[in-house]
Each structure stands twice: as structure tokens, then as C-alpha cells.
Amino acid sequence: MSSSRIEILNEGGLRQDGRRPYELRSVAMTFSPQANADGSATMQQGLTTVSATVFGPREPKGQSRSLVQHDKAFISVEVGEAAWAQQGGSKRTRGDKRLTEVAAAIRDTFEPIVMLQLYPRTEISIYVQVLGSDGGILSTAINATTLALIDAGVAMSDYITSLSIGLHLTQPLLDLSGPEESDIPHLVVASLPATGKVTLATLETRIHVDRFEEMLDVGVEGCRILHAEMQEEVRRRTATVVERMQMGQGTTSAVGL
């Protein structure tokens, strides 16, 4: 392996941004209602920000009608990237190969988990927009999609949480930043927190099988930690919605009196 272009770990065992090897980046999650959308959420991991918007389950329209399935729904995914989020001056559009690969990975990740059989002859459309890019686009997009599907009330067998894991010499690193991601071998893991079952593991670099298993274990454990934070945000969101509903009912009762 060629020597690193950046100092991945300093003498104190800290990364460029001051994190320890297994420490996650700061996380922020928001549910932001959008016109005509059934669910939407924005996920920020470090300096990477991704929004996901869900429409459906709904009757397929246009070319999507040819994909209709009589016994279940089908999922369509589109991924775009804001011009200001693109690094290196390269302009990427929805048809870009990399964004197409991200869209396919999101669809493949959620198809086994969403209870598609509950929504026959419908389409669940997921639109993902990358608003800030500093490593971990796919994993952040998966996490944003999980939250948006929950916001839309789409039935799933479990949460899906995702993180990237890199390997510096023999040391696994969790939740990579952009410079780390471009400099060391890494994989993206998505898993179900309840069982630890891995639903996605993408690896673009050769790694010894023993190291791969170690990285996978670290990733699954990291996903459990992230799940706890996402679950807490969903609980806060649910409590807010219930409170608003109760206030609305109270107002109606007062008017009725």
C-alpha cells in the first residue's frame, strides 16, 4: 500500500479532526415538511449533509406505470447533488454514474426491509439531494432515507443505519471524513440494529479477509450507536406531533363548547 498523503493518525492516536479511531462525527437530524411530500428528513454527519424526500405509497405515473407490481409496491430512487456540494470542481448531475450507483445501492438496501407487500400496485418514490459533501455520502443518504420513510409512515421491519469504515495500516477507523475516504481503503456498511444483520457492505479496495471481518464488526457496532441517536430523534418528533394533535383537539373542543 502506498504511503498516506495525509497524517491519518497523529502520535496521540487522534485523527485530523481530533476524533479517536472509533469516534463518530457530530450528527444532526431534522424533519422538515415539504409541500406534497409524505415524508422528509435531513441528515448531517460531520460536514456531509443529505436530504431525503419520500412520496407515496402512491399510484405510479408516467413511465413508472410499466414497473407496477400486482402484489407489492416498488421503490424508485433518484439522487442529485447541489452544485456547491461538489468537490474538485467536477459537476455532477442526476445521470452521473456515481450518483446512479448511490441510487441503486439505496434501492437495494431498502427493498428487503420496507414491507412492500402492504402496498400492492403502488410506487414509493425517494428523492435524495446531497447538500454538503465531506465523506460518507452513501451512508448519510441511507440514514436520511430511513428517517424520511419513518416520517412518511412507511412500514419497515427495522431501522437501517449506515456508516463508513476505513483501514489505516491495521487500525479500523469509523465514519470517515472526505480526506480519509479518499486516502485509505474503506467500506460502507448498513445494518439492522435489532439483529446486527448486514444489509449492505460495499468495498472498492482489496482488503485481507481477516481485516474485512474486523472492519465489519466495528461498522455494525457503530451502526447500533447511531441507531440510538436516530431513535431518540424519532421519539422527539413523535412527541411533538402528538402534542400538536392534542392541542388541536383541545381547540376544537373549546370551539364546540
Side-chain angles (χ1 to χ4, degrees), residues 10 29 36 43 53 69 78 86 100 137-138 140 155 161 163 176 192 195 206 215 232 252 254:
N10 63 24
M29 294 161 267
N36 302 320
M43 185 79 178
T53 306
Q69 300 183 57
E78 287 190 24
Q86 297 166 11
T100 301
I137 287 178
L138 175 55
T140 308
T161 53
L163 286 170
L176 303 185
L192 308 180
T195 62
R206 282 187 173 183
M215 293 168 69
E232 184 60 32
T252 301

Side-chain angles (χ1 to χ4, degrees), residues 126-148:
I126 301 170
Y127 295 90
V128 172
Q129 184 77 357
V130 180
L131 304 175
S133 176
D134 185 37
I137 287 178
L138 175 55
S139 55
T140 308
I142 289 172
N143 297 328
T145 299
T146 292
L147 294 174

Side-chain angles (χ1 to χ4, degrees), residues 12-251:
L14 299 179
R15 296 150 75 172
Q16 272 197 322
D17 53 13
R19 289 183 293 147
R20 298 192 179 279
Y22 295 158
E23 187 176 348
L24 302 183
R25 293 180 290 181
S26 60
V27 174
M29 294 161 267
T30 55
F31 292 94
S32 49
Q34 297 188 25
N36 302 320
D38 293 288
S40 61
T42 299
M43 185 79 178
Q44 182 175 354
Q45 294 176 226
L47 298 178
T48 297
T49 304
V50 179
S51 69
T53 306
V54 173
F55 296 87
R58 63 183 181 180
E59 181 181 351
K61 299 178 181 180
Q63 295 180 347
S64 295
R65 290 178 179 174
S66 62
L67 301 175
V68 69
Q69 300 183 57
H70 296 282
D71 59 342
K72 61 181 180 179
F74 69 91
I75 296 176
S76 61
V77 182
E78 287 190 24
V79 179
E81 185 172 16
W84 61 82
Q86 297 166 11
Q87 296 179 330
S90 58
K91 185 176 181 180
R92 289 203 285 258
T93 61
R94 288 188 186 276
D96 178 83
K97 180 181 178 183
R98 178 57 179 160
L99 297 184
T100 301
E101 291 173 348
V102 171
I106 293 172
R107 185 179 62 252
D108 291 346
T109 298
F110 283 92
E111 279 183 339
I113 308 306
V114 174
M115 297 181 179
L116 300 176
Q117 71 278 7
L118 298 180
Y119 314 107
R121 301 181 63 84
T122 65
E123 175 183 9
I124 299 172
S125 303
I126 301 170
Y127 295 90
V128 172
Q129 184 77 357
V130 180
L131 304 175
S133 176
D134 185 37
I137 287 178
L138 175 55
S139 55
T140 308
I142 289 172
N143 297 328
T145 299
T146 292
L147 294 174
L149 287 167
I150 291 172
D151 191 44
V154 174
M156 296 189 290
S157 60
D158 196 357
Y159 280 68
I160 297 180
T161 53
S162 180
L163 286 170
S164 57
I165 308 95
L167 183 68
H168 173 57
L169 303 177
T170 60
Q171 174 65 63
L173 304 177
L174 196 54
D175 194 14
L176 303 185
S177 65
E180 292 171 335
E181 192 174 76
S182 63
D183 203 58
I184 61 176
H186 64 278
L187 63 91
V188 176
V189 171
S191 72
L192 308 180
T195 62
K197 179 181 178 182
V198 174
T199 60
L200 174 74
T202 64
L203 178 65
E204 298 182 359
T205 314
R206 282 187 173 183
I207 295 176
H208 191 278
V209 63
D210 293 339
R211 296 298 178 195
F212 176 81
E213 292 177 356
E214 182 182 3
M215 293 168 69
L216 203 60
D217 290 342
V218 169
V220 169
E221 185 58 35
C223 285
R224 286 197 179 100
I225 295 171
L226 182 58
H227 164 251
E229 296 191 42
M230 292 171 65
Q231 192 173 44
E232 184 60 32
E233 183 61 34
V234 170
R235 286 172 178 161
R236 282 196 291 266
R237 164 70 167 173
T238 302
T240 300
V241 171
V242 170
E243 183 179 354
R244 288 176 180 172
M245 291 175 63
Q246 291 174 342
M247 290 176 63
Q249 290 173 353
T251 303

